[in-house]
Amino acid sequence: GMSGGDRGGVADLIQTIHKAKIPIICIANDKYNQKLKSLRNHTLELDFHKPTEDQVARRCLAVAQREGLAVNESTLKELARSCNGDLRAVLG
């Protein structure tokens, strides 16, 4: 990561972004961290949010239907509640 004693890492990353012929995906826990301020001028920022329980339940229903599985609505809602928004935990 870019934390701790990393010096010049952000500048090097910016240089790499400009040279790259393919997209580079950068993930940050705190995009407003002062160390990342200069990097933000060279990126397209996308915000992702944890899906709601209802969104998870609907996605699970769609997957189950495509797989030909019969599922109970209350079971899907409980599954959505227990996975804490992590679809990988449900589908994995």
Side-chain angles (χ1 to χ4, degrees):
M2 293 279 184
S3 62
D6 187 27
R7 292 181 184 232
V10 172
D12 189 47
L13 181 56
I14 291 169
Q15 192 176 54
T16 301
I17 288 170
H18 287 289
K19 290 180 183 178
K21 297 188 184 329
I22 59 172
I24 295 175
I25 299 172
C26 302
I27 300 171
N29 290 329
D30 179 12
K31 70 180 183 178
Y32 299 106
N33 185 307
Q34 192 64 27
K35 292 179 182 180
L36 301 179
K37 188 174 182 178
S38 59
L39 178 62
R40 293 180 67 216
N41 295 324
H42 304 276
T43 61
L44 169 65
E45 295 180 27
L46 301 174
D47 291 319
F48 293 91
H49 303 282
K50 183 169 66 169
T52 65
E53 289 178 9
D54 187 53
Q55 289 171 322
V56 172
R58 284 185 306 198
R59 177 58 65 194
C60 289
L61 177 61
V63 170
Q65 288 174 337
R66 287 187 188 140
E67 294 294 325
L69 302 171
V71 292
N72 179 313
E73 184 178 333
S74 63
T75 302
L76 285 179
K77 288 184 178 183
E78 180 57 35
L79 185 61
R81 193 172 11 267
S82 68
C83 77
N84 195 28
D86 186 355
L87 283 169
R88 300 168 302 173
V90 175
L91 301 175

